[in-house]
Amino acid sequence: MGNVELGTFQLPMCSERSTNPSICVMTCNGFEPPDFVVDFVVKEVGSDLKSLKNVGELLEKLREENMALEEQVLSVSSSVPPKVSAALCAAEEARCSLEELLQRERLVSNKLHQHLQGAQPWMDRLGQTFNQVDIIERHLKYLRCLQHIEELSAAVQQCLMTSSVWEAIRAVDSMAALDAGLSQSGCSHLQDFLRETLHFWHKIIKDRLANDFEKILTQLHWPIISPPTQSLTPAANSQEISSQLDLLVTQLLALQTSYPPIWSTPLSQEPPLCLPIQIMLLPLGKRFRYHFYGNRQTNSLSKPEWYLTQVLMWMSNSSAFMEEKIQPILDRAGVAISARVELCRGLLCLVQEKVASDASRLLYDDVLFCHLVEEVLQFEKELRSNQSYPAVLPGLLHLLLDDAILQKWLTVEKKMAVEKMDAMLSAEGAWSSQYKDISDMDELKAPDCAETFMTLLQVITERYRALPCPSAQLKFLGLQRELVDDFRIRLTQVMKEESRCPLGPRYCAILNAVNYISTILGDWGDNVFFLQLQQAAVSLGEEVLQGLGVIELGRLASLEGSLFEGLLGLLDRLKGDMMGRLLEWTMREITENAKPYCQDRWLSLPSQHDQSTMTLSSSACPMMLCVRDRLLHLHQVLSLSLFQLAWQGLAERLDNFLYQDVILSNHFSDGGAAQLQFDMTRNLFPLFGHYCKRPENFFKHVKEAYIILCLNIGSALLLRNLLKESAEEVRDWAITGDPSPESALNELGVYCLAPCDVLILLNLKASLPGQ
């Protein structure tokens, strides 16, 4: 290591760790200072060697700071031991106190254990005594309950012997309350005995009251089998009969609340009929079973209308009696029921049992099964309308929801619908409208087969509309959609056979049929009934909708789509295909007649200054006649909405044809351009003017083309120069102030044609220089 001469000093060469001389001195003397020492030296001394003379002062300063710190440590250390000692003493005292408490706890625990061991025999003897007392007490209560039952039974017997019916009913009511109290007990034998006793006395009281009630009803000419007639002279004891009727009905109502019902509706979960109505139904039930069960001629599977009509007649005939005689008594008794509705409900029990029995026997006879369903639907309709039977109560329709019966109904419905479709499509007048001679009713011009088919669907809807189960209704809706698709396929097959002559009456009738079905289904999609079915389908889930995706379900839930959306799409596609074929066939005929017009000598026609002397081009006559005849024919055979599509589609195709094959394929003199304008404005456009106010709007290419061709030479030259300049360079027309090509064309009335198309048309103008 070499030496460096600094004035009179010779310092050894430092390592590359630091360039500070003071650090180098310490390092070279074999002392490797820590980093904080290095930082301190650098801060206090720096890199100037002359500042090393301040090292002594720095050491003195550090010694003073060290001594101050030592004094602080000594003072703190001297104050800590007294506090620590006090804490240790307190902890020791706490430990001693805890050990004393634990010793006392062990002593008390030992004494308590010894005491319990000594008292255990006494506890065992007392437990046995208490168990014996509890058994005796329960036996005593059991005997008291038996005694109470015997007392109530004796009281009922005594009351009946003295004809105190109200007291007997109260005693029976007490038995019923006792039975309710014993329902949670384990005394099954006692409860059975009580219920047998209750049933015994309830039956005796009921039989006695029923006997008296039937006598009163007989005096009032119940049951009313035939329509009631107004009696001229009331009975002499009518007041007494009314009082007895009031008393007996009230007592029967009170008796019913004290015992479980003995008359229940077998096929529903409705509450039991009130006891007076049950008794009133007994003679009607006997008559019903006598006539409509067994080997009676009136019990015929082919004539369900006999017993259904009979029950409706009983309801109607008895309505006035129930409202006038029974209802006021129920109201005074505070019973919130309708006597007339209760009677109908009881009669419905008879009918439900009969219909369920007959339906299961008719599952293999399509004709009789269909007849039964029709009669049940008619019965339900009359029950709800004529008898005002509440909608919340079940009638007969829930019987048709049985799996076997519902599936049979769907199968037969489909079978008969398919048979009717075959018949209606093969009928002689299937493709003619029955309203063809009545213009006000024949806007849709629907053929008879399509109208009959939609009537068939409407009849199916009316049949299942009243069903109380949305899932069952959706099954019938699925059947309707299947039938519509089947009918669409049949129409497609017939259409393919007739596609060789799209202008024929049958082809147009098929197109009208498709449009008619599509229109009706669209209206059904907005119908309240089908909207409710749509919401039910969404709530029931995807399985009802046969695998619709999330998007389709979302559209149905938001009411953007309808249950018939898929079918409408297929029908619209078929309608579009058929309309396209019809227009293509029509245009083929028109273009054939337009060939002379396309080949006319437009370039050599002389100029005409007065259009009043102009006439239609002779070469255009065949085309104009063809257009006129086809428009008249389509107007006669197509519905109004289809004809709108037809003439507009024909106008669009004719516009393109004239523009391409007449205008762009020829050069025009001024006379030729004027003749083209005259042919269009005075002859072609008026043919379409019968169906709209401004027919020229449907011939935009032709209209704008003859505007360009009829420009005078000066305007045409200016326009051509402007269009050429715009085609050759890109200019900012807003900055230059010159009109843009588009604005210039708009001023002329040209909006559809592009500037390049206008330039082509100007080049077809023979009078322009340079042509």
Side-chain angles (χ1 to χ4, degrees):
M1 183 180 294
N3 295 329
V4 179
E5 183 176 354
L6 294 173
T8 59
F9 295 94
Q10 294 289 327
L11 296 176
M13 184 67 68
C14 298
S15 65
E16 297 179 358
R17 180 175 179 271
S18 174
T19 59
N20 192 297
S22 58
I23 302 303
C24 291
V25 170
M26 292 184 289
T27 304
C28 293
N29 289 332
F31 172 68
E32 184 69 26
D35 291 340
F36 71 89
V37 175
V38 173
D39 295 338
F40 176 76
V41 171
V42 171
K43 179 180 177 182
E44 296 294 335
V45 178
S47 59
D48 188 5
L49 291 176
K50 294 180 179 181
S51 62
L52 293 175
K53 63 183 180 179
N54 299 327
V55 173
E57 296 177 359
L58 181 61
L59 289 174
E60 187 63 27
K61 179 179 178 181
L62 291 175
R63 288 193 189 99
E64 292 176 358
E65 291 179 358
N66 191 27
M67 292 175 65
L69 290 173
E70 287 179 355
E71 291 177 358
Q72 291 179 7
V73 171
L74 290 175
S75 63
V76 172
S77 299
S78 62
S79 62
V80 169
K83 295 182 181 179
V84 174
S85 299
L88 290 174
C89 291
E92 183 65 23
E93 292 175 0
R95 186 185 64 79
C96 295
S97 176
L98 178 61
E99 289 180 353
E100 182 180 355
L101 288 175
L102 290 173
Q103 184 65 25
R104 292 172 60 187
E105 185 270 336
R106 284 192 289 270
L107 293 175
V108 172
S109 178
N110 292 333
K111 290 181 180 180
L112 179 61
H113 183 66
Q114 293 174 2
H115 179 73
L116 290 176
Q117 286 181 345
Q120 186 62 40
W122 294 91
M123 292 174 63
D124 294 340
R125 288 193 291 270
L126 285 174
Q128 294 175 0
T129 304
F130 286 153
N131 289 336
Q132 292 175 359
V133 171
D134 184 56
I135 292 173
I136 294 172
E137 185 178 3
R138 285 191 285 112
H139 287 176
L140 182 60
K141 289 181 179 179
Y142 194 93
L143 293 174
R144 285 177 180 174
C145 188
L146 280 176
Q147 183 182 3
H148 185 51
I149 295 172
E150 293 293 343
E151 290 174 355
L152 290 175
S153 180
V156 174
Q157 183 178 11
Q158 184 65 29
C159 292
L160 292 178
M161 292 175 62
T162 59
S163 298
S164 300
V165 179
W166 277 115
E167 295 298 328
I169 293 175
R170 292 190 186 96
V172 171
D173 191 54
S174 299
M175 286 188 189
L178 182 60
D179 178 60
L182 292 174
S183 60
Q184 300 299 325
S185 70
C187 305
S188 58
H189 297 292
L190 179 63
Q191 196 169 7
D192 292 341
F193 172 72
L194 174 58
R195 289 179 179 175
E196 289 176 1
T197 305
L198 180 59
H199 175 69
F200 174 78
W201 289 118
H202 184 278
K203 185 176 184 305
I204 289 178
I205 298 174
K206 174 184 166 298
D207 291 344
R208 176 179 291 189
L209 293 177
N211 187 38
D212 296 340
F213 188 46
E214 289 173 353
K215 291 179 181 178
I216 296 298
L217 290 175
T218 302
Q219 295 181 41
L220 294 173
H221 308 291
W222 180 266
I224 303 175
I225 305 303
S226 58
T229 56
Q230 186 68 32
S231 177
L232 298 177
T233 57
N237 58 343
S238 59
Q239 187 65 34
E240 180 183 356
I241 293 175
S242 298
S243 300
Q244 293 178 358
L245 179 66
D246 193 336
L247 177 63
L248 290 169
V249 171
T250 307
Q251 289 175 341
L252 286 169
L253 290 172
L255 180 64
Q256 185 175 19
T257 60
S258 63
Y259 189 72
I262 62 172
W263 178 292
S264 61
T265 53
L267 298 175
S268 68
Q269 300 299 323
E270 294 300 314
L273 297 167
C274 68
L275 193 52
I277 303 300
Q278 295 179 29
I279 298 172
M280 295 179 70
L281 283 166
L282 292 176
L284 293 175
K286 290 179 180 178
R287 289 175 177 270
F288 186 87
R289 290 183 174 84
Y290 176 81
H291 289 291
F292 304 116
Y293 283 87
N295 297 324
R296 299 287 174 182
Q297 292 183 352
T298 49
N299 181 27
S300 173
L301 289 174
S302 62
K303 298 292 182 181
E305 63 271 21
W306 285 353
Y307 62 82
L308 294 174
T309 304
Q310 182 63 70
V311 169
L312 288 174
M313 290 177 59
W314 286 346
M315 291 179 181
S316 299
N317 297 339
S318 305
S319 177
F321 182 88
M322 302 302 292
E323 293 288 348
E324 297 172 5
K325 300 294 184 181
I326 306 300
Q327 189 62 50
I329 303 174
L330 298 180
D331 294 339
R332 287 192 293 270
V335 181
I337 59 176
S338 170
R340 180 182 56 80
V341 172
E342 284 291 284
L343 181 70
C344 293
R345 197 155 66 92
L347 290 173
L348 274 176
C349 294
L350 301 173
V351 180
Q352 288 170 356
E353 183 179 357
K354 177 65 175 173
V355 170
S357 174
D358 287 358
S360 61
R361 298 167 61 188
L362 296 177
L363 290 177
Y364 302 100
D365 192 322
D366 293 349
V367 176
L368 294 183
F369 180 83
C370 288
H371 182 58
L372 175 63
V373 171
E374 290 287 353
E375 291 299 328
V376 167
L377 294 174
Q378 183 63 29
F379 175 88
E380 184 78 16
K381 183 178 179 180
E382 294 185 16
L383 178 68
R384 304 295 179 180
S385 58
N386 298 341
Q387 304 302 325
S388 301
Y389 194 67
V392 296
L393 297 177
L396 296 182
L397 292 183
H398 66 281
L399 300 176
L400 303 178
L401 299 180
D402 178 77
D403 291 340
I405 296 176
L406 182 62
Q407 188 58 45
K408 178 65 176 180
W409 184 5
L410 288 167
T411 303
V412 174
E413 196 79 68
K414 179 179 180 180
K415 175 184 175 183
M416 293 194 168
V418 171
E419 292 176 354
K420 290 179 181 178
M421 280 196 292
D422 293 337
M424 68 180 70
L425 288 173
S426 59
E428 183 177 354
W431 304 107
S432 62
S433 173
Q434 57 180 326
Y435 305 113
K436 59 183 178 181
D437 297 329
I438 309 175
S439 58
D440 295 339
M441 299 180 62
D442 201 31
E443 286 189 0
L444 291 175
K445 291 184 172 61
D448 189 60
C449 62
E451 195 162 357
T452 305
F453 175 71
M454 294 310 296
T455 303
L456 171 66
L457 293 184
Q458 182 63 40
V459 170
I460 294 176
T461 302
E462 294 302 323
R463 275 199 285 266
Y464 75 80
R465 179 191 292 269
L467 289 178
C469 178
S471 61
Q473 292 177 328
L474 287 171
K475 290 180 180 179
F476 281 95
L477 178 64
L479 172 61
Q480 287 179 306
R481 292 166 58 178
E482 184 180 346
L483 292 175
V484 171
D485 196 48
D486 188 5
F487 195 74
R488 177 190 64 84
I489 294 173
R490 292 167 183 258
L491 290 179
T492 304
Q493 293 172 346
V494 180
M495 179 271 294
K496 290 180 178 178
E497 297 175 359
E498 300 294 328
S499 59
R500 290 169 294 183
C501 183
L503 293 177
R506 179 169 291 192
Y507 186 92
C508 294
I510 297 171
L511 184 55
N512 286 330
V514 174
N515 181 67
Y516 175 75
I517 296 172
S518 179
T519 302
I520 299 299
L521 291 182
D523 294 341
W524 283 6
D526 297 328
N527 185 275
V528 175
F529 171 70
F530 288 105
L531 288 175
Q532 292 172 345
L533 272 187
Q534 183 171 330
Q535 291 300 314
V538 173
S539 63
L540 289 175
E542 194 172 336
E543 65 276 3
V544 178
L545 301 175
Q546 298 179 352
L548 288 183
V550 177
I551 297 178
E552 290 80 359
L553 284 175
R555 286 177 54 80
L556 289 179
S558 61
L559 299 182
E560 294 181 8
S562 73
L563 293 171
F564 305 101
E565 189 170 9
L567 291 173
L568 289 174
L570 293 174
L571 290 170
D572 289 342
R573 184 185 305 172
L574 177 58
K575 180 171 67 175
D577 292 343
M578 294 187 67
M579 181 64 73
R581 292 187 184 186
L582 185 146
L583 293 179
E584 287 176 6
W585 185 276
T586 304
M587 278 303 301
R588 192 179 306 156
E589 190 173 355
I590 292 174
T591 54
E592 185 67 26
N593 287 277
K595 285 182 178 180
Y597 193 65
C598 297
Q599 300 169 0
D600 210 342
R601 302 180 65 184
W602 300 100
L603 185 60
S604 61
L605 290 177
S607 176
Q608 298 285 341
H609 298 286
D610 186 7
Q611 281 198 352
S612 62
T613 61
M614 297 179 67
T615 59
L616 175 66
S617 300
S618 59
S619 59
C621 291
M623 179 186 72
M624 296 296 179
L625 289 174
C626 183
V627 172
R628 184 200 66 180
D629 294 342
R630 290 297 161 253
L631 285 174
L632 289 175
H633 175 72
L634 294 176
H635 190 226
Q636 291 173 355
V637 298
L638 293 180
S639 66
L640 183 60
S641 60
L642 285 177
F643 178 67
Q644 287 288 112
L645 296 175
W647 75 257
Q648 291 177 10
L650 183 61
E652 180 183 358
R653 286 168 168 78
L654 191 55
D655 178 47
N656 290 329
F657 167 73
L658 293 173
Y659 181 72
Q660 295 289 339
D661 290 37
V662 176
I663 297 175
L664 294 182
S665 299
N666 292 282
H667 286 74
F668 292 84
S669 64
D670 292 342
Q675 184 64 47
L676 174 68
Q677 181 182 20
F678 180 82
D679 293 342
M680 298 295 105
T681 57
R682 298 296 182 88
N683 295 277
L684 179 63
F685 294 171
L687 293 178
F688 292 86
H690 296 287
Y691 317 113
C692 64
K693 292 182 179 180
R694 300 182 65 84
E696 63 273 12
N697 291 337
F698 296 92
F699 293 87
K700 292 181 180 180
H701 291 86
V702 172
K703 173 187 172 183
E704 295 179 4
Y706 68 63
I707 289 176
I708 298 300
L709 293 175
C710 291
L711 288 176
N712 58 50
I713 295 177
S715 299
L717 287 173
L718 290 175
L719 180 60
R720 185 175 67 176
N721 293 335
L722 177 63
L723 295 178
K724 284 184 176 180
E725 290 177 2
S726 66
E728 293 173 356
E729 61 182 9
V730 179
R731 300 172 60 184
D732 192 340
W733 303 101
I735 295 177
T736 59
D738 297 331
S740 65
E742 289 77 10
S743 62
L745 293 176
N746 292 344
E747 289 180 4
L748 295 175
V750 177
Y751 300 93
C752 177
L753 296 177
C756 58
D757 297 328
V758 174
L759 197 57
I760 294 173
L761 290 171
L762 289 173
N763 292 331
L764 299 178
K765 189 174 176 62
S767 60
L768 285 183
Q771 299 300 323

